[in-house]
Structures are given as structure tokens and as C-alpha cells.
Amino acid sequence: MQLIPCPWCGPREEAEFHYGGQAHVAYPEDPSALTDEEWAQYVFFRENPSGPFAERWSHSAGCRRWFNAVRDTRTHDLLAVYRVGEPMPELGEKDQVAS
Amino acid sequence: MTADPTSPLAAWTDRLAALAPALTVAERPFRAQLTVRVSDPSAIEAMGSALGVAFPPVPCTFTSGSGPFGDLEVLWLGPDEFLVVASPGLQVPIEDALRAARGSARGSVVDTSAQRTTVVLEGAHVRDVLAHGCSVDLHPSSAPVGTCVQTLLARTGIILQVTGEDRFAVLVRSSFAGYLAAWLSDACMEYRT
């Protein structure tokens, strides 16, 4: 089973974790000013890259903290793990998203 | 008037004792447990002084010692979450002492004594038995005495403490204790001689 390195507890089995979708989706500053289309974009639309993807994970069977991870969706490799509030770390050149 | 408490593994005492010498299993029921949520460093220090046992500064460890409330342990559960474990019946005075020590800092102290029961496992095969259902590396080089991890043992959420060379304490939800005991007796089968 894949090991996911929790920033607090260290590497643990994937079964201990809960997936939380794309990271860094900011809540709209003024939600009431959004059109229905913009609100739908915020609520339902997410990136779906082939390559590195910043995601939220929760160590639900351990310390129960949320953290962010950059996962390569092609290989399922976790390229970086960082705590909530920390900026996304720089990735190596080979891990950059091909656009 | 309330009924006398019955421990979650009261019905398992004999069957767990029969696992020796492969594994010595004993329940330590009704221990006082308090979940402490606090992040302010000075409040954490004040709470440690009130108990006579400093709170663990390192993730996935626990501290133990003796103070005004007797022998007790403080377990790291999260960056702002701790579990204070003491002898049965002490939850109310400890809760009062911790609340007083917290002062005006943000946080909470909650009595969770009924939430979990403690199972103490000891024996030469204890790591082998746990490895049947727990993926955490428990080799002494990566989990020395003083380690305290929350993980899954046979799909059951547990807190696992390394309390001695071949001795572990498993804190398990009361409602899962019977299942864990049944799993333990099964996992011990191949080590019984």
C-alpha cells in the first residue's frame, strides 16, 4: 500500500488518510456579488491536470490534521507535502506541468 | 445512585489471560482521561507544571511522571491536542487543575475517560502480533520507548504507546474493545505453544 508522509506523524498507510480535493481554492471575497455561473465555477469546477496537482489530505486515523500535498496524477507519486498555511514548495524542473 | 461500572473487556479477562505466555494481555480499565486542546506555549507549560509532568514537545511521543495527582502520562495527539491519562477517579480534580492553569488562553479540557479503555500487551512476540494488523514500524530503532502513535490496528483506530522494551499500551474505543480482544486472540494463535 502507498505510504503518505504526514507532515506531523511521518509516513503512514494511505488507508489512514482522507482525500479533500484540490488545494488553494480560495473562498470568494464577496460571495453575494457572484453571478450564478461564477458561483458554480467556484463550487463545482476543479482542475484535472495530467501531472503535479496540489491537493488537500486529512490524516483522519492519526493526528486528524489537514495538510496539502502535491501529487503527480500520472504516477501517483507524492512530490511534496506541506502544512496548511505554508506556500506550495517549488517543484523540480522535471515535475512542472506540461501546458 | 448509579450502577457499578463494568469495564469494556470484563467478559474477556479469562480468555485474554489464556493467551500467555505468547502474549501477556491485561486491561487497565476506568483510567482518568482528559482531552486537552491548547496551542499557547505558556498555557501548555503552566498545565505541565500543574500536573508535575511536562507536556510532550515532540510529535508522536508521550511523557510520564509523578506529581500531585500521582503517576500520570501526557500523550501527544496533535499539534494542539494532548491526552492526559491518570489513575481511575481523578478526572474531576485534574480537570479543575488544568482549567485553572490554562487561565485566559484559548483551549479546552474535556473529560473523555469513558471513551477508551487501555489494554497492556507484553511479551517477546508483542511486535509480531501487532504487525499482523498495524503498518507502523515498531522496531525499537524507529519506535523507541516513549513513542505514542495514533494509527489503525486491524482497521480499528487506536492510540499505541511504547511503554517498555517489549511492552505496549493500546488505548482503544470502548465500543471497539471486544472486537480488538477477539482479533488479538486470533493473531496470537500461531505464537501459542
Side-chain angles (χ1 to χ4, degrees):
Chain A
M1 192 182 288
Q2 171 148 24
L3 296 176
I4 296 178
C6 169
W8 295 103
C9 305
R12 297 293 184 86
E13 276 196 330
E14 190 183 353
E16 293 189 9
F17 293 85
H18 182 80
Y19 182 65
Q22 184 180 349
H24 309 301
V25 179
Y27 192 76
E29 284 200 9
D30 185 6
S32 59
L34 263 57
T35 64
D36 285 354
E37 191 182 335
E38 286 168 334
W39 183 251
Q41 282 284 344
Y42 163 69
V43 173
F44 299 114
F45 284 68
R46 294 291 180 265
E47 299 293 320
N48 184 23
S50 170
F53 186 39
E55 303 168 325
R56 296 182 302 171
W57 286 84
S58 166
H59 191 191
S60 48
C63 60
R64 300 196 302 288
R65 295 310 118 137
W66 285 94
F67 61 93
N68 297 322
V70 182
R71 181 177 62 94
D72 192 320
T73 57
R74 298 165 297 191
T75 59
H76 210 56
D77 283 342
L78 283 152
L79 307 173
V81 170
Y82 51 106
R83 292 173 184 173
V84 168
E86 292 178 356
M88 185 173 147
E90 299 269 329
L91 296 173
E93 210 167 85
K94 69 181 175 65
D95 295 323
Q96 293 301 327
V97 189
S99 54
Chain B
M1 186 174 160
T2 51
D4 286 336
T6 305
S7 80
L9 290 178
W12 279 89
T13 310
D14 295 340
R15 279 175 283 179
L16 290 178
L19 298 177
L23 195 64
T24 312
V25 185
E27 186 191 13
R28 291 184 66 196
F30 313 128
R31 293 208 294 169
Q33 295 162 62
L34 295 115
T35 302
V36 179
R37 297 291 303 265
V38 62
S39 52
D40 181 54
S42 56
I44 290 175
E45 199 180 327
M47 286 174 156
S49 313
L51 297 179
V53 180
F55 279 38
V58 180
C60 297
T61 60
F62 72 96
T63 51
S64 56
S66 197
F69 301 101
D71 292 338
L72 53 78
E73 292 168 344
V74 185
L75 285 57
W76 185 96
L77 297 188
D80 62 352
E81 187 173 1
F82 302 90
L83 184 72
V84 176
V85 186
S87 302
L90 291 174
Q91 45 268 53
V92 173
I94 293 178
E95 187 177 344
D96 291 343
L98 287 173
R99 287 238 168 96
R102 175 170 60 90
S104 58
R106 274 171 45 175
S108 66
V109 180
V110 181
D111 175 11
T112 52
S113 305
Q115 187 177 340
R116 302 181 189 88
T117 189
T118 308
V119 185
V120 177
L121 312 174
E122 193 168 9
H125 289 299
V126 63
R127 286 184 178 79
D128 301 324
V129 172
L130 289 171
H132 282 268
C134 178
S135 63
V136 174
D137 184 0
L138 296 176
H139 190 272
S141 61
S142 63
V145 175
T147 300
C148 164
V149 294
Q150 296 171 88
T151 184
L152 297 174
L153 176 61
R155 300 174 296 284
T156 306
I158 56 156
I159 303 172
L160 185 66
Q161 285 176 270
V162 188
T163 53
E165 195 179 332
D166 284 326
R167 193 170 69 241
F168 289 76
V170 176
L171 280 77
V172 60
R173 302 251 173 185
S174 299
S175 53
F176 280 90
Y179 164 75
L180 187 79
W183 179 86
L184 270 177
S185 5
D186 183 55
C188 277
M189 282 297 242
E190 63 189 87
Y191 305 104
R192 300 176 70 177
T193 46

